[in-house]
Amino acid sequence: MDQTALDGTDDVTGVQSLVRSGRFVAVAAPLALVALTAAWLLLGATPVRAAIMWGSLALLTVCLLILAVAVVRGGSRSRRETYRRAERAASATPGHGEGAVPLRLGGARGQSIRMVGVLVAVPALLALGGTLGAADARGTGTSAVLAEADAVIKPLPIVKIENEVADGSSRRADATADFTVLLPSTTGRDGARATFEATTNQRQAVGGDLYVAYVPDRPDLGAIGDDQREDVERQLAGRAVEVGTAWPIAGLWVLVTLALVIGWWVTGSTRRRARTVGSDWHALRVTVTGAGEHVDAPPAGGTSVADERKQRENTRRLKGLVLQGGGSEIPFHSQMSSEAAGDALSGTHGWLLWNPRRRRGRDVLADLVGDDGWQLPGAVPVPVAEQIAKAGLTVPAQPDPQRRVRPLDLGAGWLATASVPVLAGWAVALGCLAALLLVPDDGTWRPWTAAAGVLVPALGFAWQGTAREEGRAD
């Protein structure tokens, strides 16, 4: 075996390793973020929440280590390079009858899983950052001890106020202060003094009442209190945020996630199950010539201003591969329809296959099957597919049961495109998350740390994108 063959085998093996690692990260990281967000919004300081927290942190750490290994072992690759490697790996499948139409076409799950993972992870990260940034760390320490000792909650008068910091001069302004109360004695003697910090909905005065949690026969355990009974109960339960704050965050998180996933699933996904090619399918020999933009405009209606506006609103601009077949240019758009994909596949020959009855919206679902043994799922605008069939450019598909193809997932090797800025951004995000989860301290540092954990990864991706644009310009 010559050196070229050996290099090709090593290249395919490396791509397959990156694909497996990328799939793990695309599933594990969103699941960990969702579990953490749900636990800190809806659970108190229970063993279940502790197990979820440590398990999720461990899972996110493993994902970060995988990303680090990918960067060290040859990250910062261009998308063109990773797409070419993916095409070579998919073409490594031995096939029977090069150029024949396959009988079975595989599904398209990998691309959809990655995209759904992103659409789930981003809102979860924002919701988790908001939750931990607004979290009250007083759900630990004294409150945990009181909860274990079966504390009671009763209104008690304030005997002393110290270190008050208010959000304004009004009596109705929120305020944080150290409050001292007298805990009732079970022996008839003078009560024991207990001091605790609390943030109240309005400024308090000596003699006013606070809801206080304490253990009647154990004043040495201290006390916690607030002007809202629900907040005292929250602290005893070890919840990160009040119920009135948790449910709006949870509701907004779920609604945003569902809107993003459903919207993309309906309009942008090229998902499909494995299918059998029949004689009612259309087949057209094509050559990939690159990438381009196709303007998909509906038929012209009337000449009124309203008709023209409606036509403009329903006009789509689709970026995709440009196929040459039967003397015509055919736009083929998929989830990987970029200039990099056009460069990687340019010059390849194959079949464009579609069933005219399988449509989604304004598109006919189609598959591009390369002679090298790969299959790329996508779609063709309905008017284009109808014009091709009407012009007699297609032939009835004659599938060969021995022909084998492998789905081509150009973005499967996305780990190879990661760079040092992206790695640094996620490392900072994980560090901020660990600090918010593990440091039982309250203060203004929490919102700033949460903001850094959300924004720094975005800056890393922006830096990487800017560097690649500059490199392309050079």
Side-chain angles (χ1 to χ4, degrees):
M1 182 179 295
D2 60 18
Q3 185 63 39
T4 302
L6 287 172
D7 292 342
T9 302
D10 292 342
D11 190 44
V12 171
T13 303
V15 171
Q16 292 173 345
S17 175
L18 282 173
V19 169
R20 288 192 293 269
S21 300
R23 287 173 180 168
F24 174 81
V25 173
V27 173
L31 285 178
L33 290 174
V34 168
L36 275 174
T37 306
W40 283 85
L41 277 174
L42 307 176
L43 297 180
T46 63
V48 174
R49 192 179 76 178
I52 292 175
M53 180 186 72
W54 287 108
S56 298
L57 281 177
L59 204 55
L60 291 173
T61 302
V62 171
C63 292
L64 184 65
L65 291 176
I66 291 174
L67 181 63
V69 170
V71 171
V72 171
R73 295 183 61 180
S76 301
R77 297 179 184 269
S78 67
R79 286 195 298 171
R80 286 179 173 82
E81 183 178 355
T82 58
Y83 287 0
R84 290 191 181 103
R85 295 177 70 192
E87 191 268 340
R88 288 196 296 271
S91 301
T93 307
H96 172 78
E98 181 178 295
V101 174
L103 177 63
R104 293 285 292 174
L105 294 175
R109 294 191 301 269
Q111 299 174 16
S112 297
I113 290 173
R114 282 197 312 278
M115 192 62 188
V116 170
V118 172
L119 297 179
V120 168
V122 172
L125 182 62
L126 293 174
L128 182 60
T131 300
L132 296 178
D136 184 351
R138 287 172 296 187
T140 58
T142 302
S143 60
V145 174
L146 293 174
E148 292 178 359
D150 297 325
V152 299
I153 302 176
K154 292 184 178 180
L156 297 178
I158 303 169
V159 298
K160 187 177 182 180
I161 300 176
E162 296 178 303
N163 305 321
E164 184 182 62
V165 178
D167 291 342
S169 57
S170 171
R171 292 295 304 174
R172 295 185 177 276
D174 294 346
T176 299
D178 294 328
F179 297 96
T180 301
V181 298
L182 285 177
L183 302 181
S185 174
T186 57
T187 62
R189 300 178 180 177
D190 293 338
R193 286 179 170 250
T195 301
F196 52 83
E197 182 187 61
T199 300
T200 57
N201 289 346
Q202 60 182 13
R203 299 175 66 179
Q204 302 294 316
V206 173
D209 285 346
L210 292 179
Y211 289 100
V212 179
Y214 66 100
V215 180
D217 56 350
R218 294 290 306 277
D220 56 298
L221 297 180
I224 59 172
D226 199 271
D227 60 345
Q228 302 294 319
R229 184 184 181 92
E230 294 82 359
D231 195 55
V232 179
E233 294 173 345
R234 175 193 65 78
Q235 292 183 52
L236 287 176
R239 291 174 60 91
V241 290
E242 298 179 14
V243 174
T245 303
W247 283 114
I249 293 177
L252 183 61
W253 166 41
V254 172
L255 287 176
V256 170
T257 302
L258 288 177
L260 291 174
V261 172
I262 293 175
W264 171 80
W265 198 258
V266 171
T267 61
S269 173
T270 57
R271 72 195 184 282
R272 61 201 66 183
R273 294 176 294 181
R275 290 135 295 139
T276 299
V277 178
S279 58
D280 56 340
W281 284 53
H282 290 311
L284 176 67
R285 287 293 294 176
V286 294
T287 301
V288 181
T289 60
E293 184 178 73
H294 172 72
V295 179
D296 181 31
T303 58
S304 65
V305 175
D307 290 333
E308 293 178 356
R309 184 187 305 114
K310 184 176 181 180
Q311 185 179 25
R312 287 197 302 270
E313 292 174 351
N314 289 286
T315 296
R316 298 185 300 167
R317 295 185 177 276
L318 304 173
K319 291 184 177 180
L321 298 176
V322 178
L323 312 180
Q324 186 73 33
S328 301
E329 284 192 349
I330 304 156
F332 178 84
H333 62 96
S334 69
Q335 289 177 222
M336 295 294 168
S337 297
S338 63
E339 292 183 8
D343 290 345
L345 301 178
S346 182
T348 58
H349 305 280
W351 289 98
L352 180 63
L353 305 172
W354 74 92
N355 186 330
R357 293 195 302 270
R358 294 183 60 86
R359 300 186 180 187
R360 181 173 299 149
R362 295 163 60 180
D363 295 320
V364 174
L365 297 182
D367 287 84
L368 179 60
V369 177
D371 290 344
D372 293 334
W374 50 261
Q375 165 209 340
L376 181 65
V380 174
V382 170
V384 175
E386 291 178 343
Q387 290 172 8
I388 294 172
K390 186 176 180 180
L393 301 178
T394 65
V395 297
Q398 297 179 351
D400 182 349
Q402 301 300 318
R403 177 66 166 154
R404 297 289 182 268
V405 293
R406 176 183 292 179
L408 172 58
D409 186 358
L410 293 175
W414 64 272
L415 279 176
T417 66
S419 61
V420 173
V422 171
L423 175 61
W426 284 116
V428 170
L430 184 59
C432 292
L433 181 60
L436 292 168
L437 291 172
L438 302 178
V439 178
D441 183 30
D442 198 15
T444 56
W445 69 274
R446 298 189 71 88
W448 290 107
T449 303
V454 172
L455 295 177
V456 171
L459 293 176
F461 279 106
W463 189 352
Q464 174 177 280
T466 301
R468 285 180 177 168
E469 288 296 330
E470 292 176 352
R472 186 181 304 173
D474 292 341

PDB file of all heavy atoms in Angstrom, residues 8-28:
ATOM      1  N   GLY A   8      -4.799   8.625   3.306  1.00  0.00           N
ATOM      2  CA  GLY A   8      -6.245   8.700   3.148  1.00  0.00           C
ATOM      3  C   GLY A   8      -6.964   7.930   4.238  1.00  0.00           C
ATOM      4  O   GLY A   8      -7.979   8.369   4.770  1.00  0.00           O
ATOM      5  N   THR A   9      -6.426   6.751   4.603  1.00  0.00           N
ATOM      6  CA  THR A   9      -7.039   5.959   5.678  1.00  0.00           C
ATOM      7  C   THR A   9      -6.979   6.705   7.000  1.00  0.00           C
ATOM      8  O   THR A   9      -7.949   6.742   7.760  1.00  0.00           O
ATOM      9  CB  THR A   9      -6.327   4.611   5.794  1.00  0.00           C
ATOM     10  OG1 THR A   9      -6.414   3.926   4.541  1.00  0.00           O
ATOM     11  CG2 THR A   9      -6.975   3.761   6.888  1.00  0.00           C
ATOM     12  N   ASP A  10      -5.819   7.299   7.297  1.00  0.00           N
ATOM     13  CA  ASP A  10      -5.681   8.057   8.538  1.00  0.00           C
ATOM     14  C   ASP A  10      -6.639   9.234   8.551  1.00  0.00           C
ATOM     15  O   ASP A  10      -7.223   9.567   9.588  1.00  0.00           O
ATOM     16  CB  ASP A  10      -4.244   8.556   8.702  1.00  0.00           C
ATOM     17  CG  ASP A  10      -3.270   7.392   8.951  1.00  0.00           C
ATOM     18  OD1 ASP A  10      -3.755   6.308   9.330  1.00  0.00           O
ATOM     19  OD2 ASP A  10      -2.065   7.591   8.733  1.00  0.00           O
ATOM     20  N   ASP A  11      -6.823   9.883   7.391  1.00  0.00           N
ATOM     21  CA  ASP A  11      -7.713  11.029   7.307  1.00  0.00           C
ATOM     22  C   ASP A  11      -9.147  10.610   7.605  1.00  0.00           C
ATOM     23  O   ASP A  11      -9.865  11.266   8.357  1.00  0.00           O
ATOM     24  CB  ASP A  11      -7.619  11.649   5.920  1.00  0.00           C
ATOM     25  CG  ASP A  11      -8.341  12.987   5.839  1.00  0.00           C
ATOM     26  OD1 ASP A  11      -8.176  13.794   6.767  1.00  0.00           O
ATOM     27  OD2 ASP A  11      -9.073  13.207   4.865  1.00  0.00           O
ATOM     28  N   VAL A  12      -9.580   9.505   7.012  1.00  0.00           N
ATOM     29  CA  VAL A  12     -10.934   9.011   7.251  1.00  0.00           C
ATOM     30  C   VAL A  12     -11.123   8.632   8.713  1.00  0.00           C
ATOM     31  O   VAL A  12     -12.138   8.943   9.337  1.00  0.00           O
ATOM     32  CB  VAL A  12     -11.237   7.806   6.334  1.00  0.00           C
ATOM     33  CG1 VAL A  12     -12.555   7.144   6.732  1.00  0.00           C
ATOM     34  CG2 VAL A  12     -11.297   8.243   4.878  1.00  0.00           C
ATOM     35  N   THR A  13     -10.125   7.968   9.295  1.00  0.00           N
ATOM     36  CA  THR A  13     -10.210   7.585  10.697  1.00  0.00           C
ATOM     37  C   THR A  13     -10.321   8.811  11.596  1.00  0.00           C
ATOM     38  O   THR A  13     -11.105   8.834  12.555  1.00  0.00           O
ATOM     39  CB  THR A  13      -8.984   6.754  11.108  1.00  0.00           C
ATOM     40  OG1 THR A  13      -8.898   5.605  10.251  1.00  0.00           O
ATOM     41  CG2 THR A  13      -9.089   6.311  12.551  1.00  0.00           C
ATOM     42  N   GLY A  14      -9.535   9.853  11.295  1.00  0.00           N
ATOM     43  CA  GLY A  14      -9.602  11.080  12.078  1.00  0.00           C
ATOM     44  C   GLY A  14     -10.956  11.752  11.982  1.00  0.00           C
ATOM     45  O   GLY A  14     -11.491  12.242  12.977  1.00  0.00           O
ATOM     46  N   VAL A  15     -11.532  11.782  10.779  1.00  0.00           N
ATOM     47  CA  VAL A  15     -12.853  12.379  10.602  1.00  0.00           C
ATOM     48  C   VAL A  15     -13.893  11.607  11.396  1.00  0.00           C
ATOM     49  O   VAL A  15     -14.751  12.192  12.077  1.00  0.00           O
ATOM     50  CB  VAL A  15     -13.235  12.425   9.106  1.00  0.00           C
ATOM     51  CG1 VAL A  15     -14.689  12.831   8.934  1.00  0.00           C
ATOM     52  CG2 VAL A  15     -12.328  13.388   8.352  1.00  0.00           C
ATOM     53  N   GLN A  16     -13.844  10.290  11.323  1.00  0.00           N
ATOM     54  CA  GLN A  16     -14.815   9.479  12.053  1.00  0.00           C
ATOM     55  C   GLN A  16     -14.699   9.681  13.556  1.00  0.00           C
ATOM     56  O   GLN A  16     -15.704   9.708  14.277  1.00  0.00           O
ATOM     57  CB  GLN A  16     -14.629   8.006  11.688  1.00  0.00           C
ATOM     58  CG  GLN A  16     -15.009   7.690  10.240  1.00  0.00           C
ATOM     59  CD  GLN A  16     -14.671   6.267   9.846  1.00  0.00           C
ATOM     60  OE1 GLN A  16     -13.901   5.589  10.540  1.00  0.00           O
ATOM     61  NE2 GLN A  16     -15.228   5.810   8.743  1.00  0.00           N
ATOM     62  N   SER A  17     -13.473   9.843  14.064  1.00  0.00           N
ATOM     63  CA  SER A  17     -13.286  10.102  15.488  1.00  0.00           C
ATOM     64  C   SER A  17     -13.875  11.458  15.876  1.00  0.00           C
ATOM     65  O   SER A  17     -14.543  11.579  16.917  1.00  0.00           O
ATOM     66  CB  SER A  17     -11.794  10.060  15.828  1.00  0.00           C
ATOM     67  OG  SER A  17     -11.570  10.408  17.178  1.00  0.00           O
ATOM     68  N   LEU A  18     -13.644  12.474  15.039  1.00  0.00           N
ATOM     69  CA  LEU A  18     -14.220  13.790  15.307  1.00  0.00           C
ATOM     70  C   LEU A  18     -15.739  13.752  15.252  1.00  0.00           C
ATOM     71  O   LEU A  18     -16.419  14.422  16.038  1.00  0.00           O
ATOM     72  CB  LEU A  18     -13.685  14.811  14.301  1.00  0.00           C
ATOM     73  CG  LEU A  18     -12.275  15.347  14.541  1.00  0.00           C
ATOM     74  CD1 LEU A  18     -11.851  16.217  13.370  1.00  0.00           C
ATOM     75  CD2 LEU A  18     -12.229  16.162  15.828  1.00  0.00           C
ATOM     76  N   VAL A  19     -16.279  12.980  14.321  1.00  0.00           N
ATOM     77  CA  VAL A  19     -17.730  12.880  14.193  1.00  0.00           C
ATOM     78  C   VAL A  19     -18.333  12.291  15.460  1.00  0.00           C
ATOM     79  O   VAL A  19     -19.323  12.801  15.992  1.00  0.00           O
ATOM     80  CB  VAL A  19     -18.106  12.032  12.960  1.00  0.00           C
ATOM     81  CG1 VAL A  19     -19.590  11.692  12.976  1.00  0.00           C
ATOM     82  CG2 VAL A  19     -17.762  12.791  11.682  1.00  0.00           C
ATOM     83  N   ARG A  20     -17.755  11.207  15.960  1.00  0.00           N
ATOM     84  CA  ARG A  20     -18.279  10.583  17.181  1.00  0.00           C
ATOM     85  C   ARG A  20     -18.169  11.537  18.369  1.00  0.00           C
ATOM     86  O   ARG A  20     -19.104  11.655  19.171  1.00  0.00           O
ATOM     87  CB  ARG A  20     -17.519   9.290  17.463  1.00  0.00           C
ATOM     88  CG  ARG A  20     -17.862   8.156  16.503  1.00  0.00           C
ATOM     89  CD  ARG A  20     -17.302   6.839  17.012  1.00  0.00           C
ATOM     90  NE  ARG A  20     -15.848   6.837  16.978  1.00  0.00           N
ATOM     91  CZ  ARG A  20     -15.123   6.410  15.948  1.00  0.00           C
ATOM     92  NH1 ARG A  20     -15.726   5.969  14.863  1.00  0.00           N
ATOM     93  NH2 ARG A  20     -13.806   6.437  15.993  1.00  0.00           N
ATOM     94  N   SER A  21     -17.035  12.221  18.488  1.00  0.00           N
ATOM     95  CA  SER A  21     -16.869  13.170  19.592  1.00  0.00           C
ATOM     96  C   SER A  21     -17.841  14.341  19.459  1.00  0.00           C
ATOM     97  O   SER A  21     -18.426  14.789  20.450  1.00  0.00           O
ATOM     98  CB  SER A  21     -15.429  13.689  19.619  1.00  0.00           C
ATOM     99  OG  SER A  21     -14.507  12.636  19.796  1.00  0.00           O
ATOM    100  N   GLY A  22     -18.004  14.830  18.230  1.00  0.00           N
ATOM    101  CA  GLY A  22     -18.924  15.932  18.010  1.00  0.00           C
ATOM    102  C   GLY A  22     -20.360  15.571  18.337  1.00  0.00           C
ATOM    103  O   GLY A  22     -21.108  16.380  18.892  1.00  0.00           O
ATOM    104  N   ARG A  23     -20.765  14.351  17.995  1.00  0.00           N
ATOM    105  CA  ARG A  23     -22.119  13.910  18.329  1.00  0.00           C
ATOM    106  C   ARG A  23     -22.325  13.858  19.838  1.00  0.00           C
ATOM    107  O   ARG A  23     -23.379  14.234  20.347  1.00  0.00           O
ATOM    108  CB  ARG A  23     -22.384  12.537  17.713  1.00  0.00           C
ATOM    109  CG  ARG A  23     -22.589  12.567  16.203  1.00  0.00           C
ATOM    110  CD  ARG A  23     -22.684  11.162  15.651  1.00  0.00           C
ATOM    111  NE  ARG A  23     -22.878  11.184  14.199  1.00  0.00           N
ATOM    112  CZ  ARG A  23     -22.769  10.118  13.414  1.00  0.00           C
ATOM    113  NH1 ARG A  23     -22.479   8.944  13.972  1.00  0.00           N
ATOM    114  NH2 ARG A  23     -22.954  10.221  12.123  1.00  0.00           N
ATOM    115  N   PHE A  24     -21.305  13.371  20.550  1.00  0.00           N
ATOM    116  CA  PHE A  24     -21.416  13.305  22.010  1.00  0.00           C
ATOM    117  C   PHE A  24     -21.595  14.699  22.600  1.00  0.00           C
ATOM    118  O   PHE A  24     -22.478  14.928  23.437  1.00  0.00           O
ATOM    119  CB  PHE A  24     -20.171  12.635  22.596  1.00  0.00           C
ATOM    120  CG  PHE A  24     -20.127  12.655  24.105  1.00  0.00           C
ATOM    121  CD1 PHE A  24     -20.835  11.717  24.837  1.00  0.00           C
ATOM    122  CD2 PHE A  24     -19.396  13.626  24.770  1.00  0.00           C
ATOM    123  CE1 PHE A  24     -20.808  11.740  26.226  1.00  0.00           C
ATOM    124  CE2 PHE A  24     -19.365  13.664  26.156  1.00  0.00           C
ATOM    125  CZ  PHE A  24     -20.073  12.720  26.881  1.00  0.00           C
ATOM    126  N   VAL A  25     -20.767  15.656  22.170  1.00  0.00           N
ATOM    127  CA  VAL A  25     -20.838  17.015  22.700  1.00  0.00           C
ATOM    128  C   VAL A  25     -22.180  17.659  22.341  1.00  0.00           C
ATOM    129  O   VAL A  25     -22.798  18.343  23.169  1.00  0.00           O
ATOM    130  CB  VAL A  25     -19.671  17.864  22.169  1.00  0.00           C
ATOM    131  CG1 VAL A  25     -19.825  19.323  22.585  1.00  0.00           C
ATOM    132  CG2 VAL A  25     -18.345  17.317  22.681  1.00  0.00           C
ATOM    133  N   ALA A  26     -22.656  17.432  21.108  1.00  0.00           N
ATOM    134  CA  ALA A  26     -23.903  18.049  20.658  1.00  0.00           C
ATOM    135  C   ALA A  26     -25.104  17.567  21.452  1.00  0.00           C
ATOM    136  O   ALA A  26     -26.112  18.269  21.549  1.00  0.00           O
ATOM    137  CB  ALA A  26     -24.127  17.756  19.169  1.00  0.00           C
ATOM    138  N   VAL A  27     -25.014  16.380  22.039  1.00  0.00           N
ATOM    139  CA  VAL A  27     -26.116  15.849  22.848  1.00  0.00           C
ATOM    140  C   VAL A  27     -25.879  16.109  24.333  1.00  0.00           C
ATOM    141  O   VAL A  27     -26.790  16.528  25.065  1.00  0.00           O
ATOM    142  CB  VAL A  27     -26.289  14.337  22.598  1.00  0.00           C
ATOM    143  CG1 VAL A  27     -27.322  13.753  23.557  1.00  0.00           C
ATOM    144  CG2 VAL A  27     -26.717  14.089  21.155  1.00  0.00           C
ATOM    145  N   ALA A  28     -24.648  15.894  24.797  1.00  0.00           N
ATOM    146  CA  ALA A  28     -24.362  15.964  26.232  1.00  0.00           C
ATOM    147  C   ALA A  28     -24.449  17.387  26.776  1.00  0.00           C
ATOM    148  O   ALA A  28     -25.040  17.603  27.846  1.00  0.00           O
ATOM    149  CB  ALA A  28     -22.970  15.391  26.507  1.00  0.00           C
TER     150      ALA A  28
END
